[in-house]
Amino acid sequence: MNNNLVGSDLARAMLNRGDKQVWCAVSNDSDGQALTTINEADYSCIYPIVTYTNDYFVCNEGKSWKYAVPVRRVELSQNEIGF
């Protein structure tokens, strides 16, 4: 049995444990749709989520979404790209 949290369930758990913000791909349709925006390089749908209230994830700008999938934002180094 797999008890690993993923998608919006993971975002809720991270906020519940006290994380101040969680970078997420967001959607009002589904977790899958949120991930599709990343696969299509639509990074305008990635926000720092700061709370989960009344069944909605809310970012630091006050916008809300039904689904939020945690993502990593990392800086690449020169060595990582072989330059």
Side-chain angles (χ1 to χ4, degrees):
M1 181 175 191
N2 185 349
N3 291 328
N4 291 332
L5 294 173
V6 295
S8 294
D9 292 334
L10 177 58
R12 273 190 295 279
M14 293 171 75
L15 293 166
N16 285 336
R17 78 171 181 191
D19 289 23
K20 299 298 180 203
Q21 73 176 12
V22 179
W23 283 94
C24 292
V26 297
S27 170
N28 282 317
D29 297 323
S30 67
D31 281 354
Q33 183 60 40
L35 290 174
T36 297
T37 63
I38 294 171
N39 293 337
E40 293 175 356
D42 181 5
Y43 301 112
S44 66
C45 291
I46 297 177
Y47 289 92
I49 301 300
V50 296
T51 189
Y52 181 72
T53 306
N54 297 324
D55 296 327
Y56 284 90
F57 294 94
V58 181
C59 77
N60 62 345
E61 297 175 1
K63 297 177 184 177
S64 59
W65 292 272
K66 192 71 175 164
Y67 301 93
V69 178
V71 297
R72 286 188 193 181
R73 292 175 50 128
V74 297
E75 180 179 350
L76 291 175
S77 72
Q78 181 178 342
N79 289 337
E80 289 174 304
I81 62 170
F83 185 65

